[in-house]
Amino acid sequence: GRGTRKASGGGAPPPRSADDADIGFSVLRIGFMADVEGVFGDDAVFAAQLAVDRLNADASILPEHRVQLAVANSASEKATLRGGLRLITEDHVSGIAATEFSFTTRVMSLAAAVLGVPQVAWGATSPTLSDKTTHTFLARTVPSDAQQARVMAGIVHRYNYERVFLISSTDTYGAGLQRAVERTMLATGVEVARSVTYALGSTVDTLLDSLAGLKADAEARGAPGVFVLVGLANGGAELLIAAHRLGLIGDARRVWILADGLAAYADDLVKRGVDMAWLEGSLGVVPAKAGGATYEREYLPAWTAYRDALRANASALGTAQRSEPFLYAPYAHDAVYAIGRALDDVRRRYPSADLSPRGTNGTTVRDAVRRARFAGATGTVSFLPYTGDRPALYDVTNVRGGAYAKVGSFVATTVDAREDEITSLGPSYMADDGGDGDGGGGS
């Protein structure tokens, strides 16, 4: 029966077997890419496999097909290109859920566009990926940083700050969000007093020199100062260490707002030498934490059972050490599930179609992805029809007692950050004119 079918495990799936033919199923493969050897790799692969299991267990979805997962590594740009081409040319996947980072997603997207293979990114947020003259086959289950920039501008506007200092990395993620922040702050009437960049892999000593001028400028303009930091844990941690040495962090007169590339990776920051006590009072902007019926009833119980099994076997995998799923893993689940739902949409529209990559044009599947709407592990999943981006939903977090705690939510309602809705933004440690942190501070 349908409910007894089993999806393949991690790694590249086996070729179509005689057993599959005997029970009348055709095999469809969905590719999945992550930094599989990274600290969150096993969590992400688990999420992708759970999505395949859900597709195979639902008798209403692809009833004549068996879905298998093919996994490839995306630890670097070179590994991403090599693994992605293998998924397309050898595993013959119908679509690829890839990747967690913008720079590797960009590499895969350029190849996917040439080869006509639909791709759904699950952690890549750079605004440059919304350019559909280049990234023609890409959709995303996470919102674009163009929308994250609106969250940051909304926070600054809410607290009546007039200027910010922007620090950003020079990689795809940092450069794209830097431009979006500058544009959005300007549109909101906030001055970007100074913008500095840093390269990934910079040493603390190099960053001390880069930040010295920023500190002098901030002190000349008076307090409070608002610092917006855009980057990843790799490089961002070293910058925070340098900022702390210069006294830019830990001063109650100064507010720090960290982009999701840092705020979502607090564990990585600590491993790289950052003391979270330094960041007390800083704000973070992250895609909304997974929730809803699918997450609570299906995803979380399955993840908890997986985590407990790892612990019982004294596993060294990262999931065994965590109290909750990696923030982006449920987005990975929804990326894989979206491709499966899109293939089923094509089946319903064209009942006689061969759904394999040899029989169905990738453009048809891509368009079906953008039409998709379903209850996923991250809530209701849908895509903007032209860009394939996910509508914005963010959590605003605040470091309290050495850990991030949610203090508010952001819902995009218009194109103007001043009119977007920031709900239930509770008291924070943001610098102000001596109030309790829930009011505004001028500068």
Side-chain angles (χ1 to χ4, degrees):
R2 174 72 177 191
T4 63
R5 293 193 310 168
K6 296 182 180 179
S8 66
R16 183 179 302 184
S17 67
D19 289 342
D20 291 327
D22 288 343
I23 57 177
F25 293 129
S26 297
V27 173
L28 293 174
R29 296 183 177 95
I30 296 176
F32 180 71
M33 303 192 73
D35 180 0
V36 295
E37 296 179 357
V39 65
F40 300 112
D42 67 302
D43 211 338
V45 173
F46 166 80
Q49 184 60 54
L50 182 60
V52 167
D53 292 344
R54 287 187 63 208
L55 292 167
N56 284 331
D58 190 334
S60 68
I61 299 176
L62 299 170
E64 303 302 323
H65 295 81
R66 175 183 179 184
V67 180
Q68 294 182 340
L69 189 70
V71 179
N73 193 13
S74 59
S76 66
E77 291 179 328
K78 183 180 294 185
T80 298
L81 184 58
R82 182 171 58 247
L85 291 177
R86 191 258 297 168
L87 291 175
I88 294 170
T89 62
E90 297 181 22
D91 293 312
H92 305 294
V93 297
S94 296
I96 300 177
T99 67
E100 67 266 56
F101 297 121
S102 295
F103 71 101
T104 49
T105 294
R106 174 183 175 275
V107 170
M108 188 63 249
S109 175
L110 295 176
V114 171
L115 297 172
V117 178
Q119 176 187 357
V120 182
W122 52 273
T125 56
S126 172
T128 61
L129 298 174
S130 297
D131 180 1
K132 288 305 174 281
T133 62
T134 301
H135 302 286
T136 52
F137 277 76
L138 181 66
R140 293 188 270 188
T141 53
V142 288
S144 163
D145 282 335
Q147 301 182 70
Q148 183 177 182
R150 289 160 56 190
V151 188
M152 293 175 172
I155 293 171
V156 171
H157 183 263
R158 162 75 183 267
Y159 284 92
N160 298 318
Y161 292 108
E162 297 175 357
R163 66 178 63 90
V164 299
F165 298 91
L166 177 59
I167 310 167
S168 56
S169 57
T170 55
D171 59 290
T172 301
Y173 168 79
L177 184 49
Q178 173 201 16
R179 291 190 291 269
V181 169
E182 289 177 341
R183 287 195 302 267
T184 309
M185 291 293 179
L186 178 63
T188 315
V190 176
E191 176 193 2
V192 178
R194 184 165 180 159
S195 179
V196 299
T197 61
Y198 66 95
L200 298 183
S202 298
T203 64
V204 172
D205 288 341
T206 300
L207 293 167
L208 284 170
D209 293 338
S210 300
L211 292 177
L214 184 69
K215 178 182 179 181
D217 196 356
E219 289 179 342
R221 291 173 179 268
V226 182
F227 297 83
V228 175
L229 177 57
V230 172
L232 302 171
N234 175 18
E238 287 74 16
L239 188 136
L240 289 170
I241 292 169
H244 181 258
R245 289 186 186 176
L246 288 172
L248 286 171
I249 293 178
D251 186 333
R253 300 171 303 162
R254 297 186 171 117
V255 180
W256 283 78
I257 303 174
L258 274 61
D260 68 324
L262 292 157
Y265 293 86
D267 289 347
D268 272 9
L269 293 178
V270 172
K271 289 178 181 178
R272 292 175 178 273
V274 174
D275 185 342
M276 291 300 290
W278 301 345
L279 298 176
E280 193 77 10
S282 70
L283 293 175
V285 177
V286 297
K289 188 176 178 180
T294 299
Y295 180 79
E296 297 293 340
R297 296 175 187 172
E298 299 184 42
Y299 190 95
L300 188 58
W303 180 87
T304 302
Y306 169 63
R307 189 268 320 268
D308 291 348
L310 291 177
R311 289 180 174 178
N313 289 286
S315 172
L317 292 175
T319 298
Q321 319 306 320
R322 283 191 284 280
S323 59
E324 61 182 9
F326 169 46
L327 173 68
Y328 289 99
Y331 288 92
H333 169 282
D334 289 349
V336 173
Y337 196 74
I339 295 171
R341 290 292 296 256
L343 290 168
D344 188 61
D345 181 16
V346 174
R347 174 190 68 85
R348 293 171 185 272
R349 290 171 179 265
Y350 309 101
S352 62
D354 173 4
L355 296 182
S356 73
R358 299 181 183 90
T360 297
N361 189 293
T363 302
T364 303
V365 181
R366 177 203 65 187
D367 294 345
V369 167
R370 295 181 183 178
R371 290 193 299 267
R373 182 180 178 87
F374 58 89
T378 59
T380 300
V381 178
S382 63
F383 303 93
L384 300 175
Y386 175 67
T387 64
D389 286 343
R390 179 93 175 262
L393 180 60
Y394 283 90
D395 289 340
V396 181
T397 60
N398 183 211
V399 176
R400 297 176 173 179
Y404 277 106
K406 179 181 175 180
V407 292
S409 300
F410 173 91
V411 180
T413 55
T414 73
V415 296
D416 187 338
R418 291 169 295 182
E419 301 300 328
D420 288 324
E421 180 184 3
I422 296 181
T423 62
S424 64
L425 189 57
S428 73
Y429 294 93
M430 291 183 72
D432 58 23
D433 291 332
D436 60 6
D438 207 13
S443 63

